[in-house]
Amino acid sequence: MNAFHFAAVLAALVRKEADGALRDPVILFGAGFLSLLGGIAFSLGIVGGDAARDVFDSVILSMLFLSILIFPVVSMRSFSEDSAAGALETLLTAPVPPFAAVFAKYAGAMAFVLVYAAQGALYAWLLSFGGGVDGRAVAHALLALAAFGSIAMSLGVLVSALASSSVAAAAGTGGILLFLTGIGEWYPSFGVLPHAKRWIAGRPDMPGLAYFASVTALFLLYAWLAVNSREGRRPARNEVVRRRVTVTGALAAAGVVLLLVQAAVLHIHEYPPRQGLLRAPKILFMPLLFALGAFVWSALTWRAANRARRAAGRTRIQRYATITESQVMKAPRYYYEENRRARRRVWLAAVLAGAAVLGVNGAEGAYSEAERINPLVAELRVRRIFPRADSLVAGETPEREKNTESAEGAERGERLEFSRPRLRAVLWAGLVWLPLAWVLAGAAAWWLGRE
Amino acid sequence: MLEAANLIKFYGARQALAGVSFSAEPGEAVAVLGMEGSGKTSLMRIFSGFLAPTHGTVRAGGGDPRRAATRRGIGYFVSGNPLPLQSRTGDYLRFRAGLKGVPSPASAAAEAAALCGIEGALGARIGKLAPEEKARAGLAECVLADPPVLLLDDPLSGLPPEEGKRLRGLLGEIMTGRAVLFACGSLEDADALCRRAVILDQGRVVADGGIAAIRDRNIEERVIALEIASREPVREALRSVPGVRGVSVTRLAEGLAVRVTTPAGLDLRQKLTRVCGDRGWVVCSMRLEPVRVEDMFPKIAARATQTRRMP
């Protein structure tokens, strides 16, 4: 398969999936309802006399929260629906690599995310009649919505690949998305909301980009593995036991790697100068979680392995090559695929990828936490980046922060001012026309598909 | 062209295939027969690349079907024919042609539809098609890229006899010149389309060879079904025909439905017609009932078990 042919195949798959997402009446009607709720937030902001930027930020945040209700509905269709209809077999026996199928499902769902995010641009356009929002702020906000959608859709594809029913997939995706949103309150670097909020506030930063890109890539990688591990595509039981052993080792290794990465970050930034590491319990949370997971996993693995050995009356795992037909009938769980090593490498890579994602984001989190606990770290960071800026650590508010604050203040601007007819038109557009457009699109989709 | 070597497949602890080996040359059509749960669909899924064997090797069209490039040369009719019911037939065929890397998907879809006799249904939604048309759409999808290998998993399943007979004509046409695995539950269908059969029982090959030879070796009795427009007692007269082993009679609204059991190698239809004619009974219909795979199984399975037990 050459690159051109692969691109053509991928485009065909993505087009089909995007078609499915954008022509589903249920999704479009749901988006209409959410648009109505967003319109209410928009109108209240305007009527309340807020600054243009405040109205815009609040409407984008409400769109982001409301999207937790609609994005899982879009992504739930992907694999679980195919699986229930028997179409997964047709898809996976086409000359298409499974990862292309996974990516196409994700990209097709992203088409809806982009249309949904474009609604934010319409709110900005409506606000421009009464004062307006800086174009860069609009771009950042839309980027935040798209990035949030990217995580939601990749997660949705993963859950859909694991779930047997669409409803379970939607509920699972919604639940995990809520968890990812909520965890930010406690552990900001792993929460989707703090990153998105920073972007919406006009500060698209590298840690945020790393977070959105790495988590999306990780979910897609796991979705690919999940598709390849569905019933029947999975290796034999013995391979599962072996995989568990591998995963146990990998989890333990990942925990150690994570701890080392975080310790290195703290060491580089000379933290803690005078305090013990245990003063920062949140920093140790993830490595401890890993260690606990590895311990539980290892206990389960050895229990399963021992039970399997006892069942077959053998003392060690036997290689397939030496097995006779009668042994196959007596102890089936001992036979594993010839490509076990390749599979093990894939799973190891998956776990290490997960560890890398957690490590990257965790290291950033560890640093932020250290910075919060000990202001000296922040000072040291500034000193390292700007060696000559000694005055910045003299105890006053750094100039950089002052600049940022004043710039933000300028961006937020004055209160919105509309002429009476324009105000009416803007409120009508936000509250009625936008939701109605979704509903009409839904009605058209229903009408065209009803034959 | 098609080759399975010691295929073993487990679903968890349940074994679906236990060392299946056979091969088919280019242009050879092989029927895969077996009762429900015998491993036919697992075998087809492994050949299609959908499932991985737990052990053993499989080659289709000269390569491993788990590779996407190999699957371009395989046309696969999935069991149950799960087509997207909301799509229009033409759109679906064009989409699938695109996936198979056909240079011109639109013309490939039109050609396949013409070959399978559904040109008129290209604009219709698949969900609205009649069962026969739906099966034809599935077959059109199989032949889109003119693959040298066809895997047909029970394409005649669920079709009424008349429609099944019509579809058999189409199957014969598209199977010509290709290496084909044709899984089905009816020996009659297999006999009409293939010369060779591989019979599976509990995941094992219990018979492999010419269909006629397998049938002759394993079928002991055949049934001739008659409908006679008469109320007279017919049992004794038919029982008296030399070779008849049994006669069962059921009363219908206008006549009798009679089932006559005969030895497998003996065709008594002419003699039965003569007996009925001599007595003035009008025979409305007479047919030799098709041999089902289930009918042969007791004997085949018993023989296979016996062979396995031998030292």
Side-chain angles (χ1 to χ4, degrees):
Chain A
M1 189 183 286
N2 59 37
F4 176 75
H5 171 236
F6 181 73
V9 166
L10 199 59
L13 275 171
V14 171
R15 203 165 46 240
K16 178 178 168 285
E17 296 300 332
D19 238 33
L22 294 173
R23 286 191 188 178
D24 188 327
V26 175
I27 292 172
L28 295 172
F29 286 138
F33 176 67
L34 298 186
S35 175
L36 177 67
L37 298 180
I40 291 171
F42 175 72
S43 310
L44 287 176
I46 291 177
V47 174
D50 293 342
R53 184 63 193 275
D54 288 335
V55 175
F56 182 68
D57 283 2
S58 71
V59 82
I60 291 293
L61 268 177
S62 69
M63 279 179 74
L64 192 142
F65 279 116
L66 292 171
S67 70
I68 296 177
L69 297 175
I70 192 80
F71 287 170
V73 179
V74 178
S75 61
M76 75 178 187
R77 308 167 54 257
S78 48
F79 281 110
S80 45
E81 202 172 271
D82 276 358
S83 179
L88 193 62
E89 190 172 351
T90 317
L91 176 66
L92 295 178
T93 51
V96 178
F99 73 83
V102 169
F103 182 78
K105 299 270 181 200
Y106 160 76
M110 278 304 286
F112 176 81
V113 171
L114 295 182
V115 173
Y116 183 79
Q119 195 181 244
L122 285 177
Y123 286 124
W125 177 66
L126 290 175
L127 288 173
S128 71
F129 292 105
V133 185
D134 175 39
R136 225 169 39 167
V138 175
H140 292 158
L142 299 188
L143 210 59
L145 268 180
F148 179 78
S150 168
I151 285 190
M153 291 311 175
S154 56
L155 172 67
V157 171
L158 165 63
V159 177
S160 176
L162 293 168
S164 52
S165 86
S166 301
V167 177
T173 307
I176 298 173
L177 213 49
L178 270 177
F179 171 76
L180 279 179
T181 310
I183 198 177
E185 288 297 312
W186 190 55
Y187 204 79
S189 56
F190 289 104
V192 69
L193 201 55
H195 291 295
K197 268 184 175 171
R198 273 210 302 276
W199 284 28
I200 291 171
R203 294 193 295 274
D205 51 0
M206 211 40 154
L209 185 64
Y211 176 81
F212 288 123
S214 61
V215 174
T216 298
L218 186 72
F219 284 154
L220 290 180
L221 174 72
Y222 285 166
W224 173 62
L225 289 173
V227 168
N228 270 337
S229 304
R230 288 188 80 93
E231 177 67 21
R233 291 171 75 83
R234 264 188 303 221
R237 180 71 58 88
N238 192 40
E239 174 63 13
V240 175
V241 173
R242 284 177 162 266
R243 189 192 300 158
R244 280 190 190 173
V245 174
T246 310
V247 171
T248 306
L251 267 176
V256 172
V257 168
L258 199 57
L259 195 61
L260 289 176
V261 168
Q262 297 200 359
V265 170
L266 296 175
H267 176 73
I268 290 166
H269 293 290
E270 297 168 19
Y271 176 85
R274 286 177 297 278
Q275 303 169 19
L277 201 62
L278 290 174
R279 293 288 297 275
K282 284 184 188 173
I283 296 171
L284 294 172
F285 170 70
M286 287 311 291
L288 283 176
L289 198 66
F290 262 74
L292 185 68
F295 175 76
V296 172
W297 195 280
S298 129
L300 289 175
T301 299
W302 288 113
R303 185 164 158 263
N306 285 330
R307 281 173 62 181
R309 280 176 198 159
R310 276 200 299 277
R314 290 175 207 290
T315 53
R316 65 181 178 82
I317 293 173
Q318 197 169 5
R319 283 193 175 276
Y320 183 82
T322 62
I323 298 229
T324 63
E325 188 184 308
S326 63
Q327 283 175 310
V328 170
M329 295 309 289
K330 279 181 195 160
R333 63 182 62 177
Y334 272 91
Y335 310 113
Y336 51 90
E337 291 189 349
E338 287 174 331
N339 59 355
R340 63 194 178 283
R341 286 201 189 90
R343 282 180 178 269
R344 201 161 52 194
R345 277 200 295 273
V346 169
W347 278 98
L348 191 63
V351 174
L352 287 178
V357 169
L358 286 170
V360 165
N361 294 295
E364 194 271 329
Y367 179 78
S368 303
E369 189 64 19
E371 200 174 50
R372 192 183 66 77
I373 293 168
N374 191 343
L376 185 62
V377 176
E379 292 164 6
L380 287 169
R381 184 188 197 184
V382 173
R383 194 178 279 165
R384 275 172 184 277
I385 298 168
F386 308 105
R388 291 182 187 174
D390 284 345
S391 61
L392 296 182
V393 291
E396 295 179 0
T397 310
E399 200 65 28
R400 195 170 51 124
E401 284 182 23
K402 273 187 189 169
N403 289 342
T404 315
E405 277 170 17
S406 61
E408 273 178 20
E411 271 175 20
R412 291 190 181 276
E414 299 302 318
R415 290 183 175 186
L416 287 160
E417 284 180 12
F418 292 100
S419 63
R420 185 174 285 273
R422 277 195 169 168
L423 176 64
R424 193 181 299 153
V426 165
L427 291 180
W428 264 89
L431 262 176
V432 179
W433 298 125
L434 265 178
L436 197 62
W438 282 109
V439 172
L440 286 177
W446 172 78
W447 182 262
L448 291 171
R450 105 202 132 84
E451 186 193 325
Chain B
M1 188 54 84
L2 283 164
E3 190 182 338
N6 197 21
L7 284 186
I8 292 173
K9 180 67 190 169
F10 283 105
Y11 297 105
R14 190 174 68 80
Q15 189 167 28
L17 296 176
V20 172
S21 300
F22 68 90
S23 63
E25 298 303 315
E28 185 180 12
V30 178
V32 180
L33 299 169
M35 289 171 62
E36 215 163 284
S38 59
K40 297 191 298 285
T41 296
S42 292
L43 183 68
M44 299 301 266
R45 284 177 169 172
I46 289 172
F47 266 110
S48 71
F50 181 60
L51 297 184
T54 308
H55 177 74
T57 54
V58 61
R59 292 178 79 77
D64 180 355
R66 298 275 286 174
R67 291 170 54 86
T70 307
R71 291 202 296 271
R72 285 182 72 183
I74 300 174
Y76 179 35
F77 187 97
V78 179
S79 172
N81 199 14
L83 302 178
L85 304 182
Q86 285 298 312
S87 296
R88 292 182 194 283
T89 314
D91 292 344
Y92 176 69
L93 290 178
R94 281 188 287 277
F95 165 66
R96 294 295 294 187
L99 290 192
K100 291 185 176 184
V102 175
S104 170
S107 60
E111 276 173 28
L115 175 65
C116 296
I118 50 164
E119 314 95 301
L122 283 176
R125 288 192 194 282
I126 293 174
K128 296 283 178 187
L129 297 181
E132 185 188 345
E133 284 178 319
K134 199 169 162 239
R136 285 174 183 268
L139 290 172
E141 196 264 309
C142 288
V143 296
L144 271 173
D146 194 17
V149 173
L150 279 183
L151 305 172
L152 306 172
D153 195 352
D154 221 350
L156 299 170
S157 156
L159 290 178
E162 273 309 305
E163 293 182 8
K165 200 178 278 181
R166 279 201 298 270
L167 206 62
R168 257 195 256 161
L170 171 63
L171 282 168
E173 204 175 321
I174 65 173
M175 283 162 72
T176 309
R178 294 184 165 108
V180 183
L181 272 194
F182 178 72
C184 66
S186 155
L187 192 66
E188 189 190 11
D189 292 336
D191 198 10
L193 295 164
C194 311
R195 285 191 183 164
R196 183 180 152 205
V198 170
I199 300 184
L200 296 178
D201 177 40
Q202 293 177 14
R204 286 190 166 75
V205 176
V206 289
D208 182 356
I211 291 180
I214 291 175
R215 187 180 46 215
D216 293 346
R217 208 164 49 233
N218 296 293
I219 290 290
E220 291 178 345
E221 291 180 338
R222 304 280 318 250
V223 173
I224 298 169
L226 302 95
E227 268 189 44
I228 300 173
S230 167
R231 289 289 186 189
E232 292 177 32
V234 298
R235 190 189 304 268
E236 285 312 313
L238 296 177
R239 193 83 176 78
S240 63
V241 176
V244 170
R245 288 185 179 172
V247 177
S248 71
V249 181
T250 312
R251 278 183 169 275
L252 300 176
E254 295 174 3
L256 302 167
V258 183
R259 289 169 61 82
V260 180
T261 309
T262 69
L266 200 60
D267 191 351
L268 295 177
R269 281 180 289 183
Q270 283 186 355
K271 284 186 181 170
L272 291 173
T273 311
R274 204 175 303 131
V275 168
C276 293
D278 291 348
R279 285 166 174 74
W281 301 334
V282 178
V283 178
C284 303
S285 72
M286 178 185 290
R287 67 189 176 92
L288 193 61
E289 289 215 331
V291 178
R292 294 171 308 159
V293 180
E294 292 93 314
D295 300 334
M296 302 191 300
F297 256 84
K299 200 165 179 184
I300 295 177
R303 188 179 295 150
T305 311
Q306 207 172 11
T307 311
R308 274 205 299 275
R309 278 182 190 157
M310 279 166 67

